[in-house]
Amino acid sequence: MATFFGEVLSVYSRAVEEDDEELEENEEDEQIRRELEEKREVHLHWIPEVSDSLKSGNKLPCSEFVLAVGHNAARFLSVYVLTSANWDKVGHASVWNERSRAVAGQTSKESACVFYRHKKNPTVLMCQVTSHIAEDQLFQWTEKVFDCLHHRELNVTVLSDSSVADYKTADYLCTSATPFLRSLHTGTFSGHPVCQSLEQPNIITGLSAAVLNHCQVHRIATVVYQCYSDILGPDSVTMETYKPALTKLGKYIQLALSPNTDVLRKFIQTTEIQSNLYI
């Protein structure tokens, strides 16, 4: 570069160095993003028998799949169904996110997402989910689980927890009769729900919504029973609300006539709290 007096000066430019720095930052950001995606990946862990079958290209034969999402829905299965000796643990899912940090090497006993199979009728599967599945993991969880199952003649029943505070209605008096059930189902569901349909503008969210959407797309008969309760934690009254939903599956799943008190005591730490105002 020449000055006004004719002096020639060397031109110094940071354009190349700035580009290099920006490239390094982008590569570092990309690496962090990849590491985070890997950490947030949903992993399914099956017992050797099931794992070997899946690796051979087979899928789990399944006529009924019951998915319980939330503490009351999952504990309902523990208290009324899994207390019998008819069920085997066949796998679990490990999920890491901000609210559910799965540890490497975690066993199915410690997992908050466990799969069970009926001993006498191995085409009946159940899954308890008490861990939080983040929004960016919902599709992944659903795709991986249903990719392991035969879809032909598959029926899915989802039991889901929800706070009555999320229920929208013009008649606020009806919310005094909590807990209560509402249902949504896919177009291929041919049965009769045990309760009335979820009224607009109410919606379902989270894993229940992801499963319902997946099953609608893949034409799998599915019904979601959402329980609205004013109790935040595990509650015996809320658990019993799910009984009609599984009574219709009596051909496949036998419900205990009364709750197993020993198992119930593990989950109910307080005595029949009727309102979360006093928690």
Side-chain angles (χ1 to χ4, degrees), residues 106-164:
Q106 188 179 51
T107 66
S108 59
K109 182 178 181 180
E110 300 166 331
S111 176
C113 180
V114 187
F115 297 90
Y116 299 88
R117 183 170 61 183
H118 200 283
K119 291 181 179 179
K120 297 180 180 179
N121 189 349
T123 65
V124 179
L125 300 176
M126 291 197 310
C127 179
Q128 291 177 304
V129 181
T130 55
S131 59
H132 172 71
I133 312 295
E135 185 174 348
D136 62 311
Q137 297 171 320
L138 294 174
F139 177 80
Q140 184 186 163
W141 189 99
T142 305
E143 284 286 311
K144 287 192 173 185
V145 170
F146 279 87
D147 190 51
C148 295
L149 308 179
H150 269 299
H151 289 182
R152 186 178 181 183
E153 298 182 357
L154 171 62
N155 295 285
V156 179
T157 302
V158 181
L159 310 179
S160 179
D161 290 357
S162 187
S163 171
V164 72

Side-chain angles (χ1 to χ4, degrees), residues 184-214:
L184 278 178
H185 58 80
T186 61
T188 51
F189 179 76
S190 59
H192 298 284
V194 300
C195 63
Q196 69 183 78
S197 298
L198 184 63
E199 307 93 336
Q200 294 182 348
N202 293 288
I203 60 173
I204 63 172
T205 59
L207 187 58
S208 302
V211 169
L212 187 67
N213 182 68
H214 177 91

